[in-house]
Amino acid sequence: MAPDGAIRPVPAEIAPAGADTRRFPGTLLPGLVDAHVHSALVDLGTVRAGGIAEVWDLGGVPSEVAGLAERGRQAGAGLPRIRFAGPFLIAPGGYPSDRSWAAAGSWREISTAADAGAAVADLATGGASLVKVTAHTGGPQLARPVLEALVTAAHAAGLPAVVHAEGAGTVEAAYTAGADILAHTPWTERIDDTLLRACAQRMRWISTLDIHGWGDPDPARQVAVDNLRRFIGYGGVVRYGTDLGNGPLPAGINIREIRLLESAGLTPDAVLTAMTEKDSTTMSWISGGLDLTPERFADTLATARVLDTGADPRS
């Protein structure tokens, strides 16, 4: 562990000698991260047991998610580390307040720029490290000045703005407002190359490709993979995320998501970058070693497990 608390595995041949050095067979990695999870809809203990060391919770009841995040910081809790956005920030009556899976308190209605500033201030005070905003057609949507006010307030608080963009024109609205991250790879329309190139210069996209079909052929998945392939081709940065809690997704490392990322043009090394953080304070361990050949990569990565502090490699 480095002095700043980050964990940085090193090859055995350059590891320092001493009683504090532990040696592990196989492959050590920074903790694997799922950047789109809804903690209220999954068993986080099972998620961690399935190899995910850290999650981003992108929409939930703020007090409940904050409590889980506090537990996740405690040694031996058996939970992943959690970064969270708190509630969805929505137009009055907008998505997802009309969905049965969205618990009361998991969204907050925003009508004005003043509402936007107050909401973001509350999130920052409550420990959120992200701001989640919805731009969703088919129902009430935030007016563009209000969407822009939310992004501006997030940036003033030092928090990235994550936008759920679903439906025609929503990606453009998110980009114009200055959003930092899209919660999903767009799937409802093929994004124009001019807009795609602009997004790639400034945004990160969270993948969530497997929500379309859950392993079965699906036209929306084809659109999403095409958009992501072109986004990556223009230099865009992608984060691995699954929208865990949305349908029959595996509670842990999702082999299908990894393979879809590869089909969109990511090399195994790029997938690892999409699944890890530079400042990680967690670690993942693949006892049999990681195979970087494309044919074996997803299968061996899926055997990764979160390494507990104090773990004995001989046990």
Side-chain angles (χ1 to χ4, degrees), residues 11 34 45-46 73 105 129 134 160 226 237 258 293 311:
D34 188 331
T46 303
R73 288 189 286 268
S129 54
T134 64
D226 172 67
V237 176
I258 294 168
T293 60

Side-chain angles (χ1 to χ4, degrees), residues 199-311:
C199 288
Q201 293 173 358
R202 198 186 67 206
M203 278 183 167
R204 291 176 287 167
W205 286 6
I206 300 173
S207 57
T208 69
L209 300 169
D210 189 39
I211 60 173
H212 312 296
W214 302 299
D216 292 329
D218 188 282
R221 188 177 68 205
Q222 294 177 340
V223 174
V225 170
D226 172 67
N227 283 331
L228 189 62
R229 182 183 296 112
R230 291 181 296 122
F231 176 75
I232 293 165
Y234 287 127
V237 176
V238 62
R239 292 303 312 258
Y240 168 94
T242 65
D243 199 6
L244 194 53
N246 179 2
L249 298 167
I253 299 168
N254 187 332
I255 292 177
R256 296 191 304 256
E257 190 75 35
I258 294 168
R259 288 178 176 154
L260 287 167
L261 283 168
E262 291 182 291
S263 75
L266 265 67
T267 65
D269 282 341
V271 172
L272 290 174
T273 298
M275 295 183 73
T276 55
E277 306 272 11
K278 291 181 179 178
D279 58 351
S280 178
T281 58
T282 60
M283 188 177 294
S284 295
W285 177 30
I286 303 170
S287 61
L290 179 60
D291 189 334
L292 290 173
T293 60
E295 298 78 15
R296 291 283 301 149
F297 171 67
D299 292 305
T300 59
L301 185 59
T303 67
R305 293 297 176 261
V306 183
L307 186 64
D308 289 307
T309 303

Side-chain angles (χ1 to χ4, degrees), residues 52-188:
I52 295 297
E54 304 180 34
V55 301
W56 295 8
D57 186 292
L58 294 188
V61 178
S63 59
E64 294 178 4
V65 180
L68 284 170
E70 177 60 31
R71 285 176 55 199
R73 288 189 286 268
Q74 298 171 7
L79 297 176
R81 300 287 175 86
I82 303 170
R83 295 179 65 187
F84 65 92
F88 296 83
L89 303 181
I90 69 170
Y95 175 88
S97 64
D98 57 349
R99 298 299 197 266
S100 61
W101 53 260
S106 65
W107 67 83
R108 178 166 175 169
E109 295 182 341
I110 308 296
S111 299
T112 66
D115 291 344
V120 172
D122 288 346
L123 294 178
T125 300
S129 54
L130 305 153
V131 172
K132 174 73 175 292
V133 183
T134 64
H136 190 287
T137 59
Q141 294 190 67
L142 293 163
R144 289 210 176 192
V146 177
L147 176 58
E148 291 169 3
L150 281 165
V151 173
T152 298
H155 291 168
L159 304 177
V162 183
V163 175
H164 168 106
E166 180 176 352
T170 57
V171 172
E172 181 181 6
Y175 173 80
T176 301
D180 305 286
I181 302 170
L182 290 189
H184 304 276
T185 296
W187 74 91
T188 58

